């Protein structure tokens, strides 16, 4: 009787061990599968390329705000923050400039140089960062421009414009098509111009010069870029 009870106990222990092994194997397969899926997503992002183009630079200050702040500096600050955030997402980023410099001796050649970079690198999307200005100080709000004949640029502009509303819920501006801006017209890859706000509006100019607000803008632009990439 004791021998039989011992045998049954041994069989029960063996069955329990087999169950635990099977359960552990299933858990391990799930963990490996999740890791592979995450790795695949990361690898996919690493294969995506975004070009960030901080407008103006060097002798070309761009617009000068009513508060005396120069567009070229604000453009670069926001662009560098976008670059950092995209890299943290595993996306490859090329900057047309990372310092206060112009890419050529005059404005026309500078624009051509930027387009040359974009056409050579063939990014999934190029985003040119700028600040706006208008003769009426009351006008404010970020707006995204796209090449009229590019459905990809239009979609990118739409998702980025929507994301930008998070930093300014009262902004009712919509993405706007354009077929005359040089960068939009001459760049072969999808490209958008993000006018982050109006330096002619004192309240907005002050916000645009603030590092925390620049970070908010960068985060929302990146959110739009990632949504565009995931929708391709």
């Amino acid at each position: 009787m004791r021998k039989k009870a011992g045998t049954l106990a041994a069989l029960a222990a063996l069955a329990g061990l087999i169950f635990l092994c099977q359960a552990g194997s299933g858990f391990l397969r799930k963990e490996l599968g999740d890791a592979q899926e995450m790795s695949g997503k990361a690898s996919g992002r690493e294969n995506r390329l975004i070009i960030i183009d901080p407008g103006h630079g060097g002798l070309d200050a761009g617009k000068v705000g009513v508060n005396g702040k120069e567009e070229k500096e604000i453009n670069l600050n926001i662009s560098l923050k976008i670059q950092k955030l995209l890299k943290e997402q595993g996306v490859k980023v090329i900057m047309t400039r990372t310092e206060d410099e112009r890419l050529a001796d005059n404005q026309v050649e500078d624009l051509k140089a930027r387009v040359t970079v974009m056409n050579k690198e063939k990014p999934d999307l190029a985003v040119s960062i700028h600040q706006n200005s208008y003769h009426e100080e009351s006008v404010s709000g970020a707006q995204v421009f796209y090449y009229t004949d590019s459905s990809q640029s239009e979609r990118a502009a739409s998702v980025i414009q929507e994301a930008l509303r998070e930093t300014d819920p009262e902004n009712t501006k919509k993405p706007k098509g354009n077929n005359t801006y040089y960068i939009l017209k001459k760049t072969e890859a999808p490209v958008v111009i993000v006018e982050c706000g109006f330096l002619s509006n004192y309240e907005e100019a002050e916000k645009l010069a603030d590092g925390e607000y620049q970070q908010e803008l960068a985060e929302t632009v990146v959110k739009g870029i990632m949504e565009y990439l995931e929708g391709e």
Side-chain angles (χ1 to χ4, degrees), residues 55-63 72 100 102 107 110:
H56 307 286
L59 294 175
D60 178 13
K63 302 173 183 68
K72 66 174 184 177
D100 181 16
R102 192 159 66 174
Q107 190 173 16
D110 175 78

Side-chain angles (χ1 to χ4, degrees), residues 19-146:
F19 174 78
L20 288 173
C21 288
Q22 289 176 337
S25 176
F27 176 77
L28 182 60
R29 283 197 300 271
K30 182 180 184 303
E31 290 296 302
L32 287 173
D34 290 345
Q36 289 172 348
E37 183 179 356
M38 290 178 67
S39 175
K41 287 181 179 179
S43 299
R45 287 179 178 177
E46 288 173 359
N47 292 329
R48 312 310 290 270
L49 172 62
I50 300 294
I51 288 182
I52 302 299
D53 173 45
H56 307 286
L59 294 175
D60 178 13
K63 302 173 183 68
V64 178
V66 292
N67 59 349
K69 301 298 182 180
E70 294 180 333
E71 179 187 359
K72 66 174 184 177
E73 181 180 354
I74 297 173
N75 293 345
L76 182 58
N77 289 341
I78 294 172
S79 296
L80 289 172
K81 294 178 190 301
I82 291 173
Q83 177 194 32
K84 182 176 184 294
L85 290 167
L86 284 173
K87 284 187 173 182
E88 289 173 355
Q89 294 274 3
V91 176
K92 183 180 178 183
V93 182
I94 291 177
M95 302 281 287
T96 57
R97 70 179 179 100
T98 57
E99 299 177 355
D100 181 16
E101 62 182 357
R102 192 159 66 174
L103 304 188
D105 293 334
N106 59 65
Q107 190 173 16
V108 172
E109 292 304 315
D110 175 78
L111 288 172
K112 288 182 179 179
R114 294 168 193 266
V115 169
T116 296
V117 171
M118 295 174 188
N119 288 340
K120 176 185 176 183
E121 299 296 339
K122 297 178 173 54
D124 294 281
L125 179 67
V127 180
S128 190
I129 300 297
H130 287 262
Q131 312 305 315
N132 219 331
S133 183
Y134 196 63
H135 63 272
E136 294 181 11
E137 187 178 346
S138 60
V139 177
S140 64
Q143 187 167 27
V144 187
F145 292 80
Y146 63 91

